[in-house]
Amino acid sequence: MQFSIKKFLPHLLVLLGFVAISLVYFSPVLQGKKIYQSDIMHYIGMAEQQKEFKASTGQETYWTNSAFGGMPTYQLGARYPHNYIKKLDAVLRFLPRPADYLFIYFIGFYILLLCLRVDYKLAALGALAFGFSTYLIIILGVGHNSKAHAIAYMPLVLAGIVLTFRQKYIVGFLLTAVALGLEIGANHFQMTYYLMLLVLVLGSAYLVDAFRKKMLPHFFKAVGLMVVALVLAIGLNATNILATQEYVKESTRGQSELTINPDGSTKEVTSGLSKEYITEYSYGLTETFNLFIPRFLGGGSGEDVGKDSEIYKFFKNIGATPVQALQESQSSPTYWGDQTIVEAPAYVGAVIIFLFVFALCLVRGRLKWWLVGGTLLSLLLSYGKNLGFLTDFFIDYVPLYNKFRAVSSIQVIVELCVPILAIFGLVKLFNDFDNDERKLKALKIALAITGGLALIFLLFKSTFFDFVGVNDGYYRQAYGEYGQGYIDALKEDRKAFFTEDTLRTLGLVLLSAGAIFMFIKKKISETFVIGVFAILILFDLVGVDRRYVNTDNFVSAFKVDKPYQANAADLEILEDKGHFRVLDISTEGSRAPARAAYFHNSLSGYHAAKLKRFDELFDFHISKNNMNVLNMLNTKYFIAEEQGQVFPYVNEDANGNGWFVSKTRRVESANEAIIALDSLNTSKEAIYENRVFGDEILYGKKVNRFARKYKVDSTATITLTAHQPNKLVYKSSNTNDGFAVFSEMYYGNGWIATIGEKEVPIQRVNYTLRGLQIPAGNHNIEFKFEPQVVQTGSMIALGSSVVFGLLLLMGILYTFKKKAD
């Protein structure tokens, strides 16, 4: 027992060190403050209704009416029964956010390096390099929490795979299953997909190695175990996966039925996102050097250039006060790369890049090739439209690749692979497998490549680069007669950033090379070298990270928990206790699109996967203020603005919650349906698409598939008597058989309609709304959202959890028995 404690003690100390470093970097959390994340503010606005419903009823709703007219909450933090892998995740993320994500970065990478048989000291060093990689910190600053969450578990998945391939079958299988369960549970399928691409590269390297060593049976045994682990991990997350799979077909990530654009032009029809949308954020070829020199292309799109900058002097020279000049200089568009907007450079670190190149000269075998292969693949794919032939091939032929946008984000694989190989450069330096002559040669090559590159850039920067950004024309025009002066000042500050950071990188490369040289010459010890590199890596990465995410990003917890305060328009609208929709067309509404959703049932919102048909309706009609469409959506209030003052405009013509129409008309296609709404009187007529209605709709009565007229008199009414996000209750009265339209989003998976006690089919009408055939008389009508996918998925998750628990218990018992024997 004493031996076991002694063996575990270093890892415990490292673990405590990671906790301390995570809390120190995000030290304001110790004062009760929270980080202000723009994307999370949008999420809070979108999720407020379901949060309030859970607080008041104790139940989870899987539908919200708060945004985009209504949508499932599957991608809005929905909680599912028997989702025990989420409970494990909550235990692991015990620190305050965002320190919890930084801690998981550290611990996952540390475990991976230990599984690769790296000494704990170097494993801890690698964990710091990975965790403080600038991109991984930046995404925490802006609120890409689910992305950070998924990235954090990537190393843990690789650790399980490596152990399985190393014939540690039981531990490898269990770790792979739980790590994959956590990875999938992070609910960022784009990052998980990119991890899958890396795993395919890794598997290919192991397959070639197994073939050469005549160990194919072992390889396929390991792969078989990993497939079982994957199935189990999917089972643990069955509800989320099934719900997402169901929803994605109806979302903007699915295939559209339209073949036209709002302007009438022909639309690119794909089974996923358009190529233009996928490649909107494509990494520039020159931006590759941002990995090595942080502000090689000017840093972010809003850099603080300070009082000593040319921008500050420019504003002072044109008459600005010192305060005004300082304000302008605090958010200068110094970025001059190819992308529309960049928060910060994806900096891996000068020290880590140097060690990576050093390792390329020393490390051999399958480890090197899957790391290099993964690095190159992710780098090439991140170029997007700037390397069109490869990107087009993946979009057209690689399954699921066209479901994800912002291809530049695949560089997370670079940020994962490069530090691993860099640490193995130090492993090779410290072991005796290579003689000092080979190590010295590797050092010279690494110094010549990295140091030489930095020196060339420093000496010939004006020859190679013009420091002109793609948006400079806009700023030149925006500043009128001072436009050229502004651009000239901006270019000078870009050059200053370039020079400053290139010198910084060159200095770090020389110090790193010096430490290795001194070790090879037996002047310093291994421990001393590790200490030097720990200082250099922390200085390098944390220094850049703090430029973009620091204590200034933290505010009081109240501002995060309650990010939106009701204005005069909101307060007046909130006095109306009815069920209706609100469209915020104020300046504040456009700046914070999820703000209205925080208080009202809004037509706006902020989400990467809204319902596809509503998104199309918005582009074709709502954005053009088509009042017939706004009326059918029961848009009772507009939040308008005049001379800086917001006020609610009451729309007296809104159709209401439900109404009988005098005519239904068939159109042949989705194109015709959405065009017909241009002139449709939605209070009198409803349109449906050819394949929506059947010949027999209700009570065995035949319906004319082309058109049908209904008698509607003044006594025909529909009244909403009760409403919750997932349940709506109406009373209808009509002396004739009729057809009713309801101002609620049609979603065919989960909504159940009943008239009296009888379930009836819901028809999609007016492109996005619900319609019902209602027989004559007085009736109670209910809509309830009870998605079968949640019930099915929860049972699968429960069964998978039981199976995993039994396998874990059996694995532990077997391991102890084996040790006892």
Side-chain angles (χ1 to χ4, degrees):
M1 178 62 72
Q2 290 179 348
F3 174 78
S4 298
I5 293 174
K6 185 177 179 181
K7 186 177 180 181
F8 183 72
L9 184 60
H11 304 303
L12 178 61
L13 294 175
V14 169
L15 185 72
L16 294 174
F18 289 157
V19 171
I21 292 170
S22 301
L23 290 174
V24 167
Y25 187 85
F26 294 115
S27 58
V29 299
L30 299 174
Q31 304 166 15
K33 293 183 177 181
K34 292 187 176 182
I35 191 167
Y36 186 90
Q37 302 168 300
S38 56
D39 275 21
I40 298 304
M41 298 306 105
H42 297 315
Y43 163 77
I44 290 173
M46 296 278 290
E48 179 65 13
Q49 187 178 92
Q50 69 201 72
K51 178 183 173 183
E52 288 182 353
F53 182 79
K54 180 70 177 286
S56 61
T57 66
Q59 299 174 351
E60 189 78 25
T61 175
Y62 298 109
W63 186 270
T64 179
N65 289 309
S66 66
F68 303 122
M71 63 184 289
T73 63
Y74 302 148
Q75 296 300 310
L76 281 171
R79 302 287 181 180
Y80 303 113
H82 307 303
N83 195 356
Y84 300 113
I85 195 71
K86 270 291 184 186
K87 297 184 186 299
L88 174 60
D89 171 64
V91 171
L92 294 174
R93 293 189 299 111
F94 60 92
L95 293 177
R97 188 169 295 175
D100 56 344
Y101 290 124
L102 184 56
F103 174 74
I104 299 297
Y105 287 163
F106 290 152
I107 197 66
F109 201 84
Y110 179 72
I111 291 172
L112 171 59
L113 289 180
L114 291 179
C115 292
L116 288 168
R117 301 176 181 176
V118 174
D119 177 74
Y120 79 93
K121 294 187 290 293
L122 287 177
L125 183 66
L128 294 177
F130 173 70
F132 282 124
S133 183
T134 301
Y135 182 79
L136 271 59
I137 298 297
I138 291 303
I139 59 177
L140 294 178
V142 297
H144 295 173
N145 288 357
S146 61
K147 179 185 287 187
H149 202 168
I151 293 169
Y153 286 127
M154 285 182 177
L156 209 58
V157 174
L158 295 178
I161 292 172
V162 166
L163 284 177
T164 309
F165 274 132
R166 282 181 46 204
Q167 302 184 41
K168 304 287 186 181
Y169 294 125
I170 295 176
V171 177
F173 165 77
L174 292 172
L175 181 57
T176 302
V178 73
L180 274 172
L182 291 166
E183 170 68 31
I184 295 170
N187 199 34
H188 199 295
F189 295 115
Q190 183 171 2
M191 293 298 105
T192 304
Y193 182 83
Y194 292 158
L195 174 62
M196 181 200 73
L197 295 181
L198 176 61
V199 169
L200 291 176
V201 174
L202 182 153
S204 300
Y206 272 88
L207 175 60
V208 171
D209 187 67
F211 178 77
R212 288 176 176 174
K213 295 177 180 177
K214 303 186 186 311
M215 296 180 64
L216 287 176
H218 152 66
F219 173 84
F220 289 112
K221 180 180 179 181
V223 170
L225 282 172
M226 284 185 274
V227 169
V228 175
L230 174 60
V231 171
L232 196 56
I234 291 173
L236 293 171
N237 291 280
T239 316
N240 186 39
I241 292 173
L242 291 174
T244 300
Q245 182 185 38
E246 180 183 270
Y247 175 66
V248 74
K249 298 172 185 175
E250 307 298 327
S251 79
T252 50
R253 302 302 174 101
Q255 184 171 355
S256 174
E257 295 178 56
L258 293 179
T259 59
I260 55 172
N261 291 309
D263 61 3
S265 61
T266 302
K267 180 179 182 178
E268 177 188 0
V269 179
T270 68
S271 59
L273 303 173
S274 68
K275 288 183 181 179
E276 182 181 19
Y277 189 56
I278 291 170
T279 60
E280 181 181 3
Y281 291 96
S282 295
Y283 209 59
L285 300 179
T286 314
E287 284 186 90
T288 306
F289 297 109
N290 272 344
L291 301 169
F292 182 50
I293 301 170
R295 289 183 295 195
F296 187 86
L297 289 181
S301 298
E303 291 274 344
D304 184 353
V305 293
K307 283 186 176 182
D308 296 327
S309 65
E310 294 301 316
I311 287 292
Y312 181 83
K313 295 173 185 175
F314 164 78
F315 280 105
K316 285 291 296 297
N317 291 337
I318 64 172
T321 66
V323 173
Q324 290 171 332
L326 184 61
Q327 288 175 340
E328 292 288 345
S329 66
Q330 286 175 339
S331 185
S332 300
T334 54
Y335 171 73
W336 51 282
D338 296 337
Q339 299 185 71
T340 308
I341 186 171
V342 169
E343 189 71 26
Y347 182 58
V348 172
V351 177
I352 290 298
I353 293 293
F354 168 78
L355 289 176
F356 176 79
V357 178
F358 178 70
L360 287 175
C361 303
L362 290 177
V363 178
R364 288 166 287 193
R366 66 191 179 198
L367 174 75
K368 175 181 177 178
W369 296 120
W370 73 259
L371 289 172
V372 172
T375 299
L376 288 176
L377 178 65
S378 62
L379 191 60
L380 294 175
L381 287 175
S382 74
Y383 294 141
K385 60 188 175 186
N386 298 313
L387 200 64
F389 73 93
L390 181 64
T391 300
D392 289 348
F393 174 82
F394 268 73
I395 290 173
D396 293 336
Y397 300 108
V398 177
L400 302 179
Y401 193 78
N402 63 356
K403 301 295 183 184
F404 308 113
R405 65 186 289 264
V407 292
S408 60
S409 62
I410 198 176
Q411 281 204 348
V412 297
I413 302 301
V414 174
E415 278 122 24
L416 174 59
C417 292
V418 169
I420 298 173
L421 192 57
I423 292 301
F424 269 90
L426 291 178
V427 171
K428 296 290 284 183
L429 174 68
F430 295 147
N431 65 35
D432 298 324
F433 296 122
D434 295 291
N435 57 40
D436 288 349
E437 183 179 345
R438 188 165 185 271
K439 293 174 184 177
L440 196 58
K441 182 181 178 181
L443 174 62
K444 291 176 181 178
I445 293 172
L447 180 59
I449 292 173
T450 56
L453 198 61
L455 189 59
I456 290 171
F457 286 145
L458 198 60
L459 295 176
F460 300 103
K461 59 177 178 288
S462 297
T463 303
F464 292 154
F465 310 111
D466 59 11
F467 298 92
V468 175
V470 293
N471 295 319
D472 283 3
Y474 165 79
Y475 294 113
R476 186 181 288 108
Q477 186 175 1
Y479 284 99
E481 61 179 300
Y482 301 111
Q484 189 57 50
Y486 178 79
I487 296 301
D488 291 341
L490 197 58
K491 288 171 66 176
E492 289 303 313
D493 285 336
R494 289 166 176 167
K495 288 180 183 178
F497 274 1
F498 184 97
T499 303
E500 178 186 331
D501 277 8
T502 304
L503 279 170
R504 181 183 187 275
T505 288
L506 181 59
L508 288 166
V509 165
L510 292 174
L511 288 171
S512 301
I516 291 177
F517 180 78
M518 295 290 284
F519 176 79
I520 294 173
K521 294 300 181 180
K522 307 294 189 294
K523 300 294 184 180
I524 54 178
S525 66
E526 176 182 325
T527 302
F528 190 84
V529 173
I530 294 174
V532 168
F533 275 105
I535 294 170
L536 289 176
I537 288 171
L538 288 174
F539 171 81
D540 184 13
L541 293 175
V542 173
V544 175
D545 294 343
R546 300 293 282 186
R547 295 173 182 174
Y548 305 101
V549 180
N550 49 55
T551 55
D552 293 340
N553 295 80
F554 287 81
V555 296
S556 68
F558 177 80
K559 288 184 178 181
V560 173
D561 297 335
K562 302 287 184 182
Y564 305 108
Q565 303 303 313
N567 56 36
D570 296 319
L571 293 173
E572 188 171 335
I573 295 171
L574 289 170
E575 290 180 4
D576 188 334
K577 302 304 179 184
H579 183 66
F580 49 81
R581 291 198 176 83
V582 174
L583 180 61
D584 189 347
I585 56 176
S586 68
T587 303
E588 189 176 6
S590 61
R591 195 167 50 237
R595 184 192 173 283
Y598 187 80
F599 299 104
H600 316 291
N601 291 332
S602 172
L603 290 178
S604 60
Y606 185 90
H607 202 276
K610 57 186 84 68
L611 281 172
K612 174 173 65 264
R613 285 204 164 220
F614 178 84
D615 189 52
E616 292 164 344
L617 186 74
F618 193 96
D619 291 341
F620 275 79
H621 297 290
I622 298 174
S623 63
K624 299 175 183 178
N625 297 320
N626 183 330
M627 288 307 298
N628 275 324
V629 169
L630 289 164
N631 289 340
M632 82 177 189
L633 294 169
N634 195 22
T635 313
K636 187 176 180 180
Y637 293 96
F638 295 85
I639 298 179
E641 184 176 359
E642 189 174 285
Q643 297 180 349
Q645 298 296 316
V646 294
F647 63 93
Y649 172 79
V650 183
N651 176 23
E652 301 289 354
D653 297 322
N655 290 2
N657 301 116
W659 59 96
F660 286 103
V661 293
S662 56
K663 182 181 179 182
T664 59
R665 175 164 57 94
R666 187 189 76 173
V667 294
E668 294 294 332
S669 66
N671 286 356
E672 288 188 32
I674 203 160
I675 291 172
L677 291 173
D678 274 332
S679 56
L680 186 74
N681 183 346
T682 56
S683 65
K684 304 291 185 183
E685 186 178 358
I687 57 171
Y688 63 91
E689 291 153 57
N690 184 25
R691 62 183 182 80
V692 175
F693 275 67
D695 281 331
E696 290 192 54
I697 294 181
L698 188 62
Y699 304 126
K701 294 182 179 179
K702 291 283 187 178
V703 174
N704 186 317
R705 289 177 58 84
F706 294 91
R708 181 172 180 181
K709 294 184 178 180
Y710 299 88
K711 186 176 181 181
V712 181
D713 56 34
S714 60
T715 63
T717 59
I718 297 175
T719 306
L720 180 70
T721 59
H723 59 88
Q724 293 178 331
N726 55 3
K727 183 178 180 181
L728 299 156
V729 182
Y730 304 83
K731 285 186 179 296
S732 73
S733 179
N734 196 348
T735 55
N736 304 289
D737 291 347
F739 189 86
V741 177
F742 298 85
S743 59
E744 303 296 329
M745 289 297 107
Y746 176 87
Y747 185 74
N749 304 304
W751 278 106
I752 299 169
T754 56
I755 298 178
E757 299 297 323
K758 183 171 184 176
E759 185 174 333
V760 294
I762 305 171
Q763 308 296 338
R764 185 175 65 213
V765 295
N766 295 357
Y767 203 71
T768 56
L769 298 186
R770 305 174 200 169
L772 290 182
Q773 288 279 348
I774 302 176
N778 299 321
H779 301 283
N780 289 322
I781 302 169
E782 281 193 6
F783 286 100
K784 291 188 291 185
F785 192 59
E786 296 178 347
Q788 181 61 44
V789 70
V790 173
Q791 300 174 35
T792 303
S794 297
M795 289 299 99
I796 295 173
L798 176 60
S800 300
S801 299
V802 171
V803 170
F804 179 75
L806 292 173
L807 290 174
L808 178 62
L809 182 61
M810 291 167 60
I812 293 171
L813 292 175
Y814 177 80
T815 302
F816 276 107
K817 184 178 183 301
K818 189 175 180 180
K819 285 186 177 181
D821 291 341

